[in-house]
Each structure stands twice: as C-alpha cells, then as structure tokens.
Amino acid sequence: MALIVQKYGGSSVADTASLKRVAQRVVAAHRAGHDVVVVVSAMGDTTDDLLDMAAELNPDAPKREMDMLLSAGERISMSLLAMAITAEGVPAYAYTGRQAGIHTDTRYGKASITGMVPERVARALHTGSVAIVAGFQGVNDRGDVTTLGRGGSDTTAVALAAALNADVCEIFTDVDGLFTADPRIVPLARQVRKLDYQETLELAANGAKILHLRAVEYARRYRVPLHVRSSFSDKLGTWIADDRPASTLAGYLDPDSFDRKEQDMEQPIISGIAHDRSQEKITVAGLPDKPGTAAELFRQVAAADANIDMIVQNIAVNVPGRSTITFTCQSGDAKDILERLEKAREILDYREIVYNPEIGKLSLVGAGMRTNPGISARFFEALSKAGVNVEMISTSEVRISVIVDADRLDEAVRALHAEFNLDAQETEAVVYGGTGR
C-alpha cells in the first residue's frame, strides 16, 4: 500500500465528463489498495472568467477580495469531484485550504505556505475515504482566505505530499509528461523520461509551464518524488527525483521506469528548452555611478513586492559618472515597480526609464553543460543563423538564458531545438486539452 497525492489541473476537470474520468482514475488507485489524496484546480477557464468579471467591476480591486473570489473556482471543482467519486461507490470528502490545514502568510494573491496541519485529511484517509483538497489556497493568521498565485495548486499538492509523507505526488496535466520544448511550438519535441530536481527547477524557473517553480522547490527540499502524467492517457510520463521512487508503487505505477535510459540521445547533455512570455524589461538610465545606487534601486523594487530575474549594469560612456541598470520582472509586477521608481526619482537621481513589455526569455537547460565545452558557442551561433538578436544574457552551471524580441521567440526555440539534436523522429507529444495545465 502506498500513499499517493494526485493533482489535476484545470483542463483535466474542465467539465462533468472530465470530472467523471478523473473520478474513475482516483477510484482505480483507491481500489488497488492505496490511500489517495486529490488536489484540484478550478475547472477550465473559471479563474480567467472570474478575473474578467472583477476587472469589469473594479480594475483596481482590493487584493483581499480578489483572493476570496478566485478561491471559489477550486471549491467548485473539489465539491463536484467528491460527488463523482461517491457515485462510483467510494466515500470522498472535500476540504478547502483552510479545512485542510494549509496556513500561509498575509501576501494576498501570492501567499507562501508557512505551515501544514492536515489533520482532517489524515482522518479521512484513516477511515478509508478519499480526501479532496482545493488547490491554490490557504488561510492566514488573520483568518482570511489567501491564494498562492497562478499554478499554486502544484504547490498545494507537493506540500500535502510532504506533510503526509506520501510515496509520490502525481501531477496530472493535458500532455504526457515533460518535453524537450513546448510541443505547441516544436511538434517534434521529445519526451523526457527522467529529470533531477535541479534541472527541473531551472526549467520551471525559466518558463516551462507544466510545473510551478515553488512546487519543485518544495519537492526538492522534502524529497518528494514527482510524476508528471496526462489525465487523458495511461502513458508513462516523466519522473522527477534524485532517488528511485518507492517500490510500494508497484501494481499502480512502474517504479522500474525510473531506471530506463533515454534512447537515441547523446546522454542528455541538454534536458530541454524553456521559454517565457511573461517577462518585461525595465531600463533605468543615467543613474549615479557610485556605491549604494543599485542597493537603493532594488530596495524600491522590493518595496513593490516584485521579484527580479535578470540584471545587467553598464557604464554610460558618453555621460561620465553615470550608469544604466536593466532588469526583467514578471509582467504583473511592472506597473507597481514603475510607480515606485517614479516616486523615488529624486532619491535615485536617474535621467530616464525605458519600459519594454515586448520581450521573451529563452533558456537552454542541461546538467551535461557542466562538463561539455562549446555549448555556449553552439547556442549563440544557432541564434545568429536564425537572425535572432540577444538583448540580455544570464547563466548558471546548468543553464544559459537570453532575452530576445517577443516576436522572434518561437523561431529561436525551434532553432536551438534543432541545433542540439533534440527533435524526435516522429511526433511524440499530444496536447489533449488546450492550456497545458
């Protein structure tokens, strides 16, 4: 017997037919003798629909009320799925984030989990029932509902798996696993059978949409094996772990699949290519070139509760004593950052700000990059041949990232995929839903 946490994304529970299919999958795992906890996202485009309605009523709605509104989508999903599972003859109980014991900080809209006390979930499992938890949400110490940010249901699932000491956390989506690139852009993208936590962190941090970054961080910290699969098929999927998953999964999953080698690849120097369209670029020109300037600039950015990704500083050749700092951020944070910088103009003493939302981020990821010279040369040569100009560069020991024009991003992804021989012989990816989540 194993304890399994399953997470189903919005496209997997998009309608009643989908909910019935998910219920049958959950019941099959339960009848195989396993304890099952299910985490669900909102149905289909429910979250986007709620955002649109809120924008019509108040474009600057209070963040607390937005969390109250957006948490409703997952509550609908969990209740309907509990009904569908019960109809299959298995007892099931649905719990909100609060009822499941998910405690968060007070940052509405992008709260972090501060504690997990899943007592009611554990009691449900003890009675032989399936526990269903609304993803994406928790409760802060004021008693208010909070949300974890888009994709936060992944984090909910992994956090529950860690707290319950689960044998595996399955992430069900509308594709058959992780691929060497987004199959919507590269139809010949190859499925990756196994990744370690570090490679997966780099892919998630740089735009791969199948897994939420904080979920992967949580999984690595608590050594939770992840298995990314499609809820629309029974294909093998992708394992994410540093160690072999528990043998107790035999009869439900195939732990031996973790040890299978990739075929027709030069033992993966490159694991995949990620891209991100949600980045925007801000350039602060004419800053005083002296100690403390960058610290004050990013103090203002931090006050906007924004996360920064790439940073480049240049000395202004034509203006002695001045420098320029360029950085990228998530598009949802740009408005608040620009407002903070405008208010701090006298403090920062800059000449101008240039804002560019029309950018894309492209990242090449692979653990083999540590020991294979020449990867950077091939990377930039491929972009050059494709006529793609690079605006910013960032690297780690297993990643190269660049910023390019948004309208050249897809072309750049395809060029790199071909350069590093990642194309499959035939189409492997099937997008069963439409959102990737």
Side-chain angles (χ1 to χ4, degrees):
M1 178 183 290
L3 173 53
I4 300 166
V5 175
Q6 299 181 339
K7 178 263 177 178
Y8 293 91
S11 58
S12 298
V13 294
D15 50 35
T16 54
S18 299
L19 285 163
K20 288 180 181 179
R21 183 178 62 249
V22 167
Q24 291 166 1
R25 188 182 288 271
V26 173
V27 168
H30 183 270
R31 288 181 174 158
H34 303 297
D35 291 328
V36 185
V37 177
V38 181
V39 174
V40 289
S41 297
M43 298 173 65
D45 296 324
T46 298
T47 300
D48 289 330
D49 292 341
L50 292 173
L51 285 168
D52 291 343
M53 286 189 283
E56 287 183 26
L57 295 170
N58 185 347
D60 192 25
K63 292 182 178 180
R64 177 188 180 278
E65 310 313 319
M66 287 298 298
D67 276 11
M68 288 287 288
L69 172 69
L70 297 181
S71 65
E74 281 70 18
R75 296 178 68 165
I76 294 170
S77 299
M78 71 176 194
S79 303
L80 291 173
L81 182 58
M83 296 173 192
I85 292 172
T86 302
E88 294 285 333
V90 173
Y93 295 94
Y95 301 101
T96 65
R98 178 173 188 163
Q99 292 170 329
I102 301 172
H103 300 279
T104 75
D105 60 22
T106 57
R107 294 191 306 161
Y108 299 107
K110 46 184 172 181
S112 294
I113 295 173
T114 58
M116 296 288 300
V117 190
E119 293 180 0
R120 298 185 68 177
V121 173
R123 288 203 300 269
L125 296 178
H126 184 70
T127 63
S129 304
V130 172
I132 305 168
V133 178
F136 175 65
Q137 62 186 259
V139 62
N140 62 29
D141 56 12
R142 300 171 186 168
D144 289 338
V145 172
T146 55
T147 63
L148 307 180
R150 296 302 291 265
S153 293
D154 290 353
T155 307
T156 302
V158 178
L160 278 168
L164 295 166
N165 196 27
D167 294 280
V168 67
C169 180
E170 295 186 275
I171 305 293
F172 284 96
T173 179
D174 62 4
V175 291
D176 290 318
L178 292 176
F179 288 78
T180 50
D182 187 336
R184 298 164 183 80
I185 295 176
V186 184
L188 291 178
R190 186 193 303 265
Q191 185 175 352
V192 181
R193 302 298 183 190
K194 180 176 67 175
L195 285 169
D196 62 32
Y197 291 121
Q198 184 177 5
E199 291 173 301
T200 310
L201 274 172
E202 293 284 6
L203 288 167
N206 291 284
K209 302 299 184 185
I210 299 301
L211 281 172
H212 192 229
L213 174 61
R214 284 192 290 171
V216 183
E217 291 173 335
Y218 223 113
R220 180 174 68 168
R221 185 181 310 133
Y222 295 101
R223 317 304 296 175
V224 176
L226 301 179
H227 193 205
V228 182
R229 310 174 65 193
S230 171
S231 64
F232 298 84
S233 77
D234 292 318
K235 293 185 178 179
L236 186 62
T238 301
W239 282 104
I240 297 164
D242 291 339
D243 306 311
R244 195 176 186 277
S247 60
T248 53
L249 297 169
Y252 170 67
L253 296 175
D254 179 10
D256 291 334
S257 66
F258 186 83
D259 299 316
R260 294 180 188 170
K261 301 297 184 183
E262 298 287 345
Q263 301 296 320
D264 303 320
M265 290 185 70
E266 43 175 54
Q267 263 317 99
I269 297 172
I270 303 302
S271 297
I273 299 169
H275 72 281
D276 187 356
R277 301 183 194 280
S278 66
Q279 298 261 323
E280 297 183 346
K281 186 173 70 172
I282 296 174
T283 299
V284 186
L287 286 160
D289 184 23
K290 62 181 183 181
T293 297
E296 181 58 39
L297 171 63
F298 291 109
R299 190 177 298 118
Q300 296 295 332
V301 173
D305 197 22
N307 291 319
I308 297 304
D309 187 8
M310 299 171 67
I311 303 172
V312 172
Q313 180 173 8
N314 295 309
I315 302 300
V317 177
N318 298 326
V319 186
R322 294 280 170 171
S323 66
T324 296
I325 295 179
T326 300
F327 59 89
T328 60
C329 64
Q330 291 295 306
S331 57
D333 293 332
K335 178 177 179 289
D336 289 341
I337 292 173
L338 293 171
E339 289 177 356
R340 293 288 309 188
L341 294 182
E342 181 60 35
K343 291 177 181 178
R345 187 170 193 130
E346 291 187 8
I347 299 173
L348 293 170
D349 189 25
Y350 60 81
R351 299 294 173 85
E352 67 171 335
I353 291 179
V354 179
Y355 166 59
N356 181 8
E358 301 300 324
I359 64 167
K361 181 180 176 183
L362 175 67
S363 300
L364 187 73
V365 176
M369 293 169 63
R370 296 187 185 101
T371 55
N372 286 270
I375 297 296
S376 296
R378 291 175 63 186
F379 179 93
F380 291 106
E381 185 174 354
L383 294 181
S384 175
K385 288 179 179 178
V388 177
N389 187 50
V390 172
E391 299 182 17
M392 300 175 71
I393 303 170
S394 173
T395 64
S396 76
E397 62 178 0
V398 298
R399 171 188 53 80
I400 305 172
S401 295
V402 296
I403 296 296
V404 301
D405 287 341
D407 60 359
R408 304 302 304 277
L409 185 59
D410 290 3
E411 185 178 354
V413 170
R414 287 190 285 267
L416 288 178
H417 204 268
E419 170 63 29
F420 288 95
N421 304 313
L422 297 176
D423 287 354
Q425 295 300 311
E426 58 185 21
T427 300
E428 295 184 0
V430 177
V431 181
Y432 301 93
T435 65
R437 298 202 66 78

